Amino acid sequence: MPVTPDSPSTRVRRAAVLGSPIGHSRSPDLHLAAYRALGLVHWSYERIECTAEALPALVDGLDDSFIGLSVTMPAKVAALQYASTVTDRARLVGSANTLVRTDSGRWHADCTDIDGVTGALAELGVTDVAGEPVVLVGAGGTARPALAALASAGAGPVTVVVRDIARAAGLRRLATDLGITLATLPFEPSVELTAACARSSVVVSTVPADAAAHITESMAAASRLLDAIYHPWPTPAAAAVTDAGGRVVGGLVMLLNQAVTQVEAFTGLPAPRAQMAAALTD
């Protein structure tokens, strides 16, 4: 359970986002907007440069005013391994983007990235795909929460597009745990990939914009695209799908939805979603 402030409006509390590089993170915009809307005027949220190797010592060195940490790449696996307690879903996907200080002073890990993908899929109208095929581009750190969210939406067979088939091994194990059939395609534009994107309920891209640009011609066949990138925007893939008449949702929607759950975990209060969303348009 999160620490409960004695007086939420006046007690000094601190939170931060950890990662490397971290200067581009929009998480401070979201969290600070939430704290101000909730009247938590003495709460702060900052960026802290942190690698996976540095995470244990860094978190050990934080004083008791720190009550929550957002964790981004490359430290999500390290956060999971560091925590004293872990949610079932974080253990399932093998990473944690959230650390919450408990009443005992230890840290509890969760993966609200799953909420981020689920919320973004809902924005696209993908809430119950009833066994329909989907395409997942990439097999890195964001792909596993994305696969879990797709499973929750009832996704059918998943085609993973990956440069190195060996990198899909972790996704294969997760797919087995989730009861999903998984196939792979090479990370190359092809008739097969174009056909897979065209018949999919949704394409979810978890790779950098310049990498996805290599297969943009095939991805343009998608009717719906969730692109995890939010900078630069639009990505070549997002622009191609939009130009072809498809619907696109970007990484800022994912970021908002994962942050909503984090804010509630840190503060114990309902997150002010509207004010948080408005902070991303400033």
Side-chain angles (χ1 to χ4, degrees):
M1 296 294 292
V3 173
T4 302
D6 296 332
S7 178
S9 64
T10 59
R11 188 77 176 269
V12 173
R13 294 295 192 191
R14 301 172 70 187
V17 57
L18 311 183
S20 183
I22 202 62
H24 68 284
S25 174
R26 298 294 304 273
S27 290
D29 300 327
L30 288 163
H31 281 259
L32 290 172
Y35 303 160
R36 300 304 171 257
L38 292 170
L40 305 177
V41 295
H42 294 288
W43 286 49
S44 65
Y45 188 98
E46 60 193 274
R47 300 178 183 89
I48 300 177
E49 192 77 17
C50 178
T51 63
E53 296 75 17
L55 184 139
L58 189 152
V59 179
D60 280 345
L62 298 177
D63 63 42
D64 290 345
S65 67
F66 278 90
I67 49 79
L69 300 169
S70 309
V71 184
T72 188
M73 297 302 291
K76 293 182 180 183
V77 174
L80 182 75
Q81 296 170 342
Y82 174 84
S84 298
T85 56
V86 178
T87 61
D88 289 341
R89 64 180 184 172
R91 184 176 291 108
L92 178 68
V93 301
S95 69
N97 73 323
T98 306
L99 291 172
V100 183
R101 192 188 291 274
T102 66
D103 291 329
S104 66
R106 297 183 177 183
W107 292 90
H108 179 67
D110 191 16
C111 182
T112 73
D113 283 332
I114 298 172
D115 299 327
V117 178
T118 297
L121 290 172
E123 188 86 3
L124 279 172
V126 181
T127 56
D128 183 2
V129 292
E132 296 177 14
V134 301
V135 173
L136 178 60
V137 181
T142 305
R144 293 171 66 85
L147 186 61
L150 287 166
S152 295
V158 176
T159 299
V160 176
V161 184
V162 62
R163 292 186 186 278
D164 181 359
I165 298 299
R167 290 203 67 196
L171 282 178
R172 288 187 185 279
R173 291 190 293 270
L174 178 57
T176 298
D177 292 340
L178 294 169
I180 291 180
T181 301
L182 188 146
T184 57
L185 279 176
F187 204 99
E188 296 290 339
S190 65
V191 172
E192 293 79 10
L193 178 55
T194 301
C197 290
R199 66 174 175 263
S200 68
S201 173
V202 63
V203 173
V204 179
S205 178
T206 66
V207 301
D210 56 349
H214 180 63
I215 56 171
T216 289
E217 182 178 349
S218 290
M219 292 175 66
S223 61
R224 292 184 288 195
L225 170 68
L226 168 54
D227 195 326
I229 301 301
Y230 63 81
H231 181 76
W233 189 261
T235 64
V241 172
T242 300
D243 290 346
R247 296 180 58 194
V248 175
V249 164
L252 283 180
V253 178
M254 288 175 53
L255 189 69
L256 168 65
N257 281 279
Q258 64 83 26
V260 163
T261 309
Q262 286 184 341
V263 165
E264 293 178 347
F266 293 177
T267 68
L269 299 170
R273 178 183 291 269
Q275 290 90 335
M276 293 171 69
L280 293 177
T281 64
D282 293 343

